[in-house]
Amino acid sequence: MTRDFGVVWEHADRLVEGLLNTIILTLVGASLALLIGSLVAILLMSSSRPVRLISQGIVDLMRCIPFLMLAYLAYYGLPSLGLNLDNWTAGLFAIVVYNTAYMAEIMRSIWIGLGRESIEAATAFGFRGPRLYTRIIFPQIFLAASPMIGNQLIQIIKDTAFLTIIAVPELTHAASSIQSQYFVPFAAFIAAVLIYWALCMLVEAGVFVVERLAEVRR
Amino acid sequence: MVEHVGSTNPECVLDIRGLTKSFGTNVVLDGVSLTVERGKTVCLLGPSGSGKSTLLRCVNFLEKPDQGSIYLSGRRIGMREGGVIPMSTSELAQARARIGMVFQHFNLWPHLTVLQNLIEAPIHVQRRSRDEVVAEAEMLLERVGLTDKKDVFPNRLSGGQKQRVGIARALAMKPELLLFDEPTSALDPELVGEVVAVMKTLAEGGSTMLVVTHEMGFARETANEVVLMDGGRVVEKGQPSEFFTNPKTDRARQFLQRYVSA
């Protein structure tokens, strides 16, 4: 068994490469999902009923598609529409689409609880449009939503593992290729599990920091 | 009817004419007219539900009046000149930035420090230079006695301190007119004094103020004019010395009796 872990250690560079891809996919995917999700949240909170209904419908649809199905669609399905994405881009696309819906829902739920006082004051002081969102509304939402966003980040980290099925060279893919090449499944997968765990702890630490910032800003 | 272009009196900062507002079938304002001259303090008194807060909120179009007109220093608010076409959101935002507002529940921005609350709108709405705004904000904090709290977040302040920040935040906009919407109603009784004291110095310093309040002491000592509202109408207005000692209407007498006995 120790020998197995030795084998994995010898090929640690492949795990590191996989880890880097996992991290990049997570960070880029989460950032884009957060950004687009914010815009969708504005639609979800629109004063126009048709806008609300249509955006809510799309968000609900996205949340009901299994992530794996989205990954398949992005990689195998989109070429039928003339859109050929490489594995990595298709994987990122699936992550962004899927998580945009969740992020938008998270932000909407916080937005509703925000209370109209601070927004009303901003309106009275001449804030409107983009500046009202970027200066007054979203800073408060992000602070209050940090535990939920952190949770979603952990979800994204884990979801990237699915992308091995469309051959994205992320952490699970790396572990899988080491085990199949050297027949050390237990050691290879346990190593990957430990790395995933460490990654999630990092996210938790980040959430802890943001939560302390948020506490004094309520 | 001839549409007036502003007021004929250049000293008139706020000129409200024939304002009406209903929520559904509930008539909240029923033809209210009111003026506030430069440097004067007008107190709006009246029982709850008499429409005073709604009137105040109509002045900066937080509520949209149904009819009537509002002029700020001779310029129409909410509608373009002529009174037929509503202002665009950007025109309305510019107009609002000329009016300072102090809220019953303070409505500070919780994610910003005290100093940041003061400089936020001057920098990001009025687009003034940061250095200039910060220097002024620090002077304002000194005026309301909160220099030592400038880097503190609002939730660490007492109600009285929050409201003094609220007042300083409104002043930082260099407004032509200050609106106060029951500024002491949410405060513990022992904290009312510090806020009223700040408002008095403002009134005496020549700020133009329209104040909805239940603080009869403030109205009596500080106001240049008191306006009693009831059922969405102005029932009596006059100088405080007249109004409090020798009210002309029965409604005013009733109202004052309740407050004197309470």
Side-chain angles (χ1 to χ4, degrees), chain A residues 2 5 39 42 44 46 69-71 75 99 111 117 124 129 137-138 140 143 162 184 191 207:
Chain A
T2 323
F5 277 102
L39 298 175
I42 293 175
L44 291 175
S46 165
M69 195 54 72
L70 262 180
Y75 189 59
N99 287 284
W111 195 334
E117 285 93 355
I137 298 180
F138 278 107
Q140 294 186 66
L143 281 170
F162 280 120
V184 285
V207 168

Side-chain angles (χ1 to χ4, degrees), chain A residues 118 120 131 135 216 218, chain B residues 57 109 111 120 124 156:
Chain A
S118 74
E120 180 165 84
R131 252 174 287 149
R135 301 294 314 175
V216 293
R218 271 194 244 287
Chain B
R57 295 165 58 81
W109 296 308
H111 59 298
E120 181 70 10
H124 295 284
R156 297 292 152 98

